[in-house]
Amino acid sequence: MRAITDEDHRAAVLHEVSAGYRRNPVLHRVTAAFPIGARTAVVGPNGSGKSTLLGVLAGVLPVTSGSVRRRGEVALVVQRSAVSDALPMTVRATVEMGRWARTGPWRRLSRQDRRIVADCLERLDVAELADRPLGALSGGQRQRVLVAQGLAQQAELLLLDEPAAGLDVTAQRRITEVLDEEKSRGTTVVHVTHDLAEARDADHALLLRDGHLHAAGPPGRVLAPESLRELWENSLV
Ligand SMILES: Nc1ncnc2c1ncn2[C@@H]1O[C@H](COP(=O)(O)OP(=O)(O)OP(=O)(O)O)[C@@H](O)[C@H]1O
């Protein structure tokens, strides 16, 4: 029998990671672990490096030093502002793209792929919009389509950059429910959020400040009022 080690409880680990953009170092020696089958909220002021951390975790942004270890497939749901309005695709086609990693080079969808896509459209309450062009949707509707595309990938590690930003209260609640449903299926969920109530409801929290990891652990402790007051004293939220 294989010994159970601490590593078995982690879906991903960043070790002393520094990363950024040309002439713009953002993350500084960040060490963090992401518990498997749990929801981790990444919180911090604007510009503190949350999206950069997600990019590193997804493997789309290289590190300048340190290491990233991940197990399994990863799906990244970017902010809707990162997606062009001009994409000539329907909502259904956008979510179908989420299956491409599984369908092979010809991208022919099986009946099961179609069922998964239909299920993801339903879960995000965008099934009725399926034949509309993505560019013709409201910002909040488009945001939900991007989350549906992320779910359709059925990855072990689901990363989302402010998935509930700009959504109405009902849609926000739905996103949180969907993330917890994914978690109960064993998916490791990591999401960036500015909503402290949503973050406090997570299993684990990371607090970033100026590209450094300010705190990590149970949300009740990491997001305690005194910790936040100290962090936001000199920052704009
Ligand atoms: N593509 C890029 N090229 C150069 N600099 C970038 C790029 N993307 C982000 N930055 C810079 O990196 C820093 C961290 O940005 P990042 O988007 O990771 O922060 P964030 O915590 O997600 O912010 P927000 O809460 O505003 O979304 C910022 O100073 C930003 O200007």
Side-chain angles (χ1 to χ4, degrees):
M1 200 168 72
R2 201 162 57 93
I4 294 178
T5 65
D6 209 19
E7 292 289 291
D8 292 315
H9 304 296
R10 300 160 174 195
V13 179
L14 306 182
H15 182 69
E16 294 274 317
V17 162
S18 296
Y21 310 91
R22 238 191 301 173
R23 288 192 294 277
N24 187 9
V26 175
L27 296 178
H28 307 284
R29 305 185 67 169
V30 171
T31 294
F34 299 83
I36 211 160
R39 173 156 74 86
T40 296
V42 182
V43 180
N46 288 140
S48 56
K50 302 179 297 297
S51 301
T52 304
L53 182 139
L54 227 51
V56 163
L57 202 49
V60 297
L61 194 68
V63 300
T64 46
S65 64
S67 65
V68 182
R69 273 186 297 125
R70 240 188 351 248
R71 38 163 107 180
E73 308 270 330
V74 57
L76 173 63
V77 178
V78 294
Q79 289 184 15
R80 65 169 185 263
S81 53
V83 178
S84 165
D85 285 0
L87 273 182
M89 299 186 77
T90 65
V91 166
R92 182 180 287 104
T94 305
V95 179
E96 284 176 354
M97 279 173 67
R99 299 300 303 158
W100 283 1
R102 315 261 172 166
T103 53
W106 304 109
R107 294 174 179 165
R108 266 184 77 96
L109 275 87
S110 66
R111 190 176 301 176
Q112 199 208 353
D113 289 320
R114 289 184 200 288
R115 205 175 309 128
I116 291 167
V117 168
D119 179 56
C120 293
L121 288 166
E122 282 292 338
R123 287 171 71 198
L124 272 301
D125 203 20
V126 287
E128 284 171 12
L129 306 173
D131 297 318
R132 301 256 303 266
L134 191 64
L137 302 187
S138 76
Q141 290 168 335
R142 207 175 313 165
Q143 180 75 31
R144 275 144 53 194
V145 173
L146 295 181
V147 175
Q149 186 193 64
L151 294 190
Q153 294 175 55
Q154 296 190 322
E156 279 124 302
L157 183 57
L158 177 61
L159 313 178
L160 310 100
D161 200 349
E162 298 189 38
L167 298 188
D168 65 45
V169 176
T170 312
Q172 273 182 13
R173 210 171 293 140
R174 184 71 202 123
I175 295 279
T176 308
E177 278 170 12
V178 163
L179 298 188
D180 284 334
E181 283 164 20
E182 288 303 295
K183 187 185 94 172
S184 61
R185 293 175 177 194
T187 306
T188 302
V189 178
V190 180
H191 64 112
V192 171
T193 183
H194 286 285
D195 179 343
L196 294 179
E198 188 193 26
R200 286 201 178 94
D201 202 33
D203 304 296
H204 188 65
L206 302 183
L207 191 52
L208 285 177
R209 175 190 202 173
D210 295 334
H212 295 271
L213 187 67
H214 186 70
R221 178 167 59 73
V222 170
L223 305 173
E226 53 278 17
S227 168
L228 296 178
R229 208 173 305 124
E230 184 195 338
L231 185 72
W232 264 281
E233 231 160 38
N234 300 312
S235 308
L236 294 173
V237 181

